[in-house]
Amino acid sequence: MLRLLLNDFQVPARLLADPSGAGERILTDLLHLAELLQQASTLLEGEQAVIRYLVEQCQSCAELNNEANQIRLESDADLVQIVTVFKSKGLEYPLVFLPFACAFRESKAGDLPMKWHDEAWQLHLALDNQNSVLARVDQERLGEDLRKLYVALTRARYATWIGVAPLSDLEKSALGYLLGGGQPLIQALETLRTGYPEITVNLSPEVNETHYKGREERKGEGIARTSRRVVRDVWWIASYSALHPASGKGKTADTAGEDIFLEAIEAPSQSVTGQRDQTSQSFGPLHHFFRGGSVGNFLHDLLEWCCEQGFGQVVNTPDLLRDTVARRCMLRGWQAWIEPLCDWLTHFLGMKLPMATDSFALADLDTCVAEMEFWMAVHTVDTQEIDALMIRHTLDGAPRPVLQPRLLNGMLKGFIDLIIEHNGRYFVIDYKSNWLGPNDAAYTHEAMRQAILEKRYDLQYVLYILALHRLLSLRLPDYDYDQHIGGAIYMFLRGTHAPSQGLFADSPPRALIEELDGLFVNV
């Protein structure tokens, strides 16, 4: 792509036409930098991160000793190149050295199958040395060696050095054949150069005990270097999970209880399948379902699949739903949960969500987007400033764990479980697999509100609403926050059969979203 872009704008042609002669150097450096950035991009997230990487590399000398960062030569035309005679065909070099010009490999009887051509130049194959086939095969080998020798002798522009030695059976080599063979080597070489002043015959130097020693470079002690502190910008990519409370132990909300799994996998009781249990007064089939981060991912992936298929299509096609649930459960050994999960999912997608102005079910929706990714630039924002805004504007100022003091500077990213549109209003939906208690009674509005506060889900859904607010302000010509934003709906999946339906809804005030938006852009 980059090379196509450079050619479209005629960058190489303009650089190479530079009368100063520096164009080739610039073009080489440009392509080298592009290659280094391409390699770095495989380890970084987004174009902004690649740009930041380039800035840091330009400001730092820490990796100058890295071989990949060494300045490359504009051209290898002036380098010593070691190539085979075959690969040198069609090329030209200023000087050529042929140290092994006399080398050859005589054809052997074991070189099977043997190939040769008859007088009509028809190819023949033989599996043994009958009728003196080997002599004909070796004659064709000599012909091929002569052709290669011709190629080698015609590559030089100025001069060629040929190494010759009185090897055994030298006359069977291509060079020995040209020298006539059968006569002493020195005499043959003198005969060759007769009448050709361009040819010089020199004897190789005599062997002695002298060893080559490279030029020693004496390095004296220089002036001590002065340390220069390089101040780097604190730039990083953050997400909601990185903004955990100061008192947190490293567990994120969705992974709390990650190590808790129920041992029993037997078929759920009747209360799981929908029959009312008079003792627990519970309809919910997921109260005894496994718990932990991997289980949360399982439910999230299943609901993402439902959105991609269409919630209504899933409800109206029970065979498709059961096939998908069965395949995913079989992979985990959860065969006993296939029917309960199908029943729960059908109920969940079809239950009415009682909103302030209207009620609707997920299965009734035509517009929804699952796992929408967002990126927002954040410039030197203190998390405590965010925290102060959250407490002032949400959940009646109720106490909650404070965020760990931190400076956000870079990008804020995230994935929203579900965005839906109903009657012109847009909602952010997040699925929560948190286990709040053993039956429906545990999923009261107050219990869910307390979980929201403890896990700081208030921060999560406000950031999601802000991302949605920015998106809609760019996409809707007549966008108005109060008119188009419906709010956030947090669905506690294990409490869908409780009187509360496991739903917690909140609509952050316009003032909070606008103040937070201004804080992020330093307005």
Side-chain angles (χ1 to χ4, degrees):
M1 180 275 295
L2 178 64
R3 291 182 180 273
L4 181 62
L5 180 66
L6 294 177
N7 289 328
D8 285 346
F9 286 89
Q10 300 179 347
V11 174
R14 289 188 283 111
L15 287 177
L16 296 178
D18 185 352
S20 67
E24 188 175 9
R25 171 75 270 160
I26 296 173
L27 182 60
T28 301
D29 290 343
L30 182 63
L31 295 175
H32 189 185
L33 288 172
E35 181 180 324
L36 293 176
L37 292 179
Q38 167 64 21
Q39 294 173 355
S41 68
T42 61
L43 304 176
L44 301 173
E45 296 186 76
E47 295 83 353
Q48 293 294 332
V50 178
I51 294 174
R52 172 59 53 179
Y53 169 81
L54 177 60
V55 172
E56 291 177 349
Q57 292 300 303
C58 292
Q59 294 175 349
S60 172
C61 299
E63 295 190 12
L64 286 182
N65 293 328
N66 189 330
E67 183 177 350
N69 293 350
Q70 296 298 317
I71 295 179
R72 296 174 178 174
L73 294 174
E74 300 94 311
S75 171
D76 59 2
D78 295 331
L79 296 180
V80 174
Q81 301 180 54
I82 300 177
V83 297
T84 63
V85 173
F86 183 81
K87 291 189 65 175
S88 70
K89 184 178 180 181
L91 302 178
E92 183 182 70
Y93 304 91
L95 305 174
V96 173
F97 296 82
L98 303 175
F100 308 112
C102 293
F104 70 98
R105 182 184 181 281
E106 186 178 5
S107 298
K108 305 294 183 180
D111 298 338
L112 300 177
M114 300 184 190
K115 302 178 184 179
W116 85 98
H117 296 80
D118 58 20
E119 290 74 7
W121 204 242
Q122 294 296 318
L123 177 64
H124 293 264
L125 296 178
L127 299 179
D128 53 32
N129 187 24
Q130 294 181 357
N131 302 323
S132 302
V133 170
L134 182 59
R136 183 181 288 271
V137 171
D138 192 62
Q139 183 180 8
E140 293 200 9
R141 185 273 310 167
L142 177 59
E144 179 65 13
D145 289 350
L146 287 168
R147 184 185 68 82
K148 292 179 180 178
L149 179 61
Y150 168 79
V151 171
L153 294 175
T154 54
R155 297 305 96 201
R157 180 183 301 176
Y158 302 114
T160 300
W161 280 260
I162 307 173
V164 184
L167 304 177
S168 175
D169 296 328
L170 178 62
E171 67 278 3
K172 295 182 180 179
S173 69
L175 185 60
Y177 177 83
L178 293 179
L179 293 176
Q183 56 180 326
L185 180 58
I186 294 296
Q187 180 180 345
L189 292 175
E190 291 295 340
T191 302
L192 177 66
R193 76 168 183 172
T194 301
Y196 296 97
E198 299 85 359
I199 300 177
T200 301
V201 177
N202 295 320
L203 297 177
S204 60
E206 295 182 0
V207 178
N208 55 50
E209 298 299 324
T210 304
H211 297 276
Y212 171 77
K213 291 184 178 180
R215 183 176 57 183
E216 296 182 0
E217 295 184 5
R218 296 183 178 180
K219 297 182 179 180
E221 294 185 359
I223 301 174
R225 298 178 63 186
T226 302
S227 175
R228 184 179 66 179
R229 181 170 178 263
V230 178
V231 180
R232 300 177 58 185
D233 292 338
V234 181
W235 193 99
W236 59 298
I237 298 175
S239 62
Y240 155 72
S241 60
L243 309 179
H244 53 77
S247 59
K249 302 298 183 182
K251 291 277 189 180
T252 62
D254 281 343
T255 59
E258 182 174 318
D259 302 323
I260 304 175
F261 282 85
L262 300 184
E263 297 294 337
I265 311 181
E266 66 269 9
S269 62
Q270 285 188 338
S271 63
V272 170
T273 60
Q275 298 296 324
R276 192 174 190 81
D277 187 326
Q278 298 299 324
T279 302
S280 66
Q281 294 293 304
S282 176
F283 286 105
L286 295 188
H287 294 311
H288 304 292
F289 193 47
F290 309 109
R291 288 150 41 194
S294 61
V295 176
N297 291 335
F298 170 81
L299 295 173
H300 277 66
D301 292 343
L302 189 58
L303 290 167
E304 182 182 354
W305 172 83
C306 292
C307 179
E308 293 172 350
Q309 300 296 316
F311 292 125
Q313 175 70 13
V314 171
V315 171
N316 296 327
T317 317
D319 291 342
L320 174 64
L321 172 60
R322 191 188 187 286
D323 177 69
T324 300
V325 173
R327 283 189 285 107
R328 299 189 179 204
C329 285
M330 293 289 285
L331 289 175
R332 296 164 174 81
W334 297 351
Q335 293 88 331
W337 284 96
I338 295 175
E339 296 302 333
L341 284 173
C342 290
D343 293 341
W344 167 80
L345 198 52
T346 301
H347 165 79
F348 175 71
L349 299 180
M351 73 178 186
K352 295 294 183 180
L353 311 181
M355 296 295 101
T357 58
D358 192 7
S359 63
F360 58 89
L362 293 180
D364 300 332
L365 299 175
D366 295 324
T367 303
C368 56
V369 178
E371 293 296 323
M372 190 192 82
E373 181 180 13
F374 68 86
W375 292 75
M376 293 188 292
V378 186
H379 303 289
T380 60
V381 176
D382 193 332
T383 55
Q384 293 183 322
E385 294 184 73
I386 300 176
D387 217 6
L389 284 174
M390 298 296 303
I391 295 174
R392 187 165 72 249
H393 288 284
T394 63
L395 303 177
D396 303 321
R400 64 206 77 177
V402 297
L403 296 182
Q404 180 180 4
R406 205 165 192 178
L407 187 67
L408 300 182
N409 187 56
M411 300 294 293
L412 189 65
K413 64 171 289 188
F415 292 87
I416 303 175
D417 284 353
L418 184 66
I419 291 180
I420 64 172
E421 181 270 333
H422 177 69
N423 288 341
R425 295 175 66 79
Y426 294 81
F427 298 84
V428 165
I429 292 182
D430 200 87
Y431 310 122
K432 293 301 177 188
S433 60
N434 304 50
W435 188 84
L436 302 185
N439 51 47
D440 291 341
Y443 292 84
T444 63
H445 183 271
E446 183 57 35
M448 293 185 292
R449 185 176 187 270
Q450 191 59 34
I452 294 286
L453 290 168
E454 290 179 359
K455 305 300 183 182
R456 293 309 309 266
Y457 292 151
D458 58 321
L459 173 63
Q460 184 183 38
Y461 67 69
V462 166
L463 292 177
Y464 289 175
I465 292 290
L466 174 60
L468 180 61
H469 163 74
R470 287 188 170 186
L471 175 65
L472 295 180
S473 64
L474 296 174
R475 299 291 180 87
L476 298 181
D478 58 343
Y479 171 73
D480 179 76
Y481 180 86
D482 296 325
Q483 176 184 347
H484 293 98
I485 296 294
I489 305 174
Y490 270 49
M491 295 181 163
F492 287 79
L493 303 179
R494 299 177 189 268
T496 54
H497 286 72
S500 66
Q501 297 180 281
L503 301 178
F504 178 90
D506 189 24
S507 182
R510 180 176 191 149
L512 169 60
I513 299 301
E514 291 181 347
E515 286 187 57
L516 194 60
D517 190 30
L519 183 65
F520 279 11
V521 295
N522 281 335
V523 181

